[in-house]
Amino acid sequence: MGAVTDTSAARRSFWRAPNYAAWFTADTASAAGGSLRALAVSLAGYAVSGSTAAAGWLGTAALIAQQVASVFGGTFVDRHERRTLIVINAAVGVCTWGECGGAVRGAHAHLPAAARDCYAWFCGQRLSW
């Protein structure tokens, strides 16, 4: 085993590696999206229940469900082509969150009650149970 040397090849920046900037951007956006999702779940739980404890438990339950699903998701990803799954995941995410955004923005009568409740919460209207 040789000593660690300080060569220019060893000190090459990650930013010069092919596709590193794209991966870094995507990973940062994914982490930010996950944090916003966790916040949104807790806020929705608080809006529905009015209890900070219930909102905290809902957020905890959502994170536990995410971790349990990750085990099965990891197995699924290992058995299929990842690029195709990334595209499918992005398309499903855009459609799902686009529908949620449309529900909040439009609050159409044909949407489920949960979507109307989200709209009422975002607009500051008091829900009548």
Side-chain angles (χ1 to χ4, degrees):
M1 299 252 185
V4 176
T5 59
D6 189 20
T7 64
S8 63
R11 294 182 49 102
R12 192 172 72 176
S13 173
F14 286 122
W15 295 105
R16 294 180 187 220
N19 299 324
Y20 179 75
W23 171 83
F24 181 79
T25 304
D27 193 49
T28 302
S30 176
S35 297
L36 288 172
R37 182 182 61 233
L39 176 65
V41 166
S42 294
L43 286 175
Y46 180 74
V48 170
S49 68
S51 167
T52 55
W57 281 112
L58 179 64
T60 301
L63 289 175
I64 289 171
Q66 178 183 350
Q67 293 301 316
V68 169
S70 293
V71 173
F72 301 106
T75 304
F76 186 80
V77 166
D78 287 342
R79 295 178 184 201
H80 297 83
E81 185 188 359
R82 292 183 182 172
R83 290 182 186 205
T84 303
L85 293 175
I86 289 169
V87 170
I88 292 170
N89 181 44
V92 168
V94 166
C95 292
T96 302
W97 290 111
E99 179 64 28
C100 290
V104 169
R105 179 113 170 115
H108 302 294
H110 69 278
L111 294 174
R116 289 192 305 266
D117 291 345
C118 287
Y119 172 76
W121 180 72
F122 276 104
C123 292
Q125 299 173 356
R126 187 76 176 151
L127 297 177
S128 60
W129 297 98

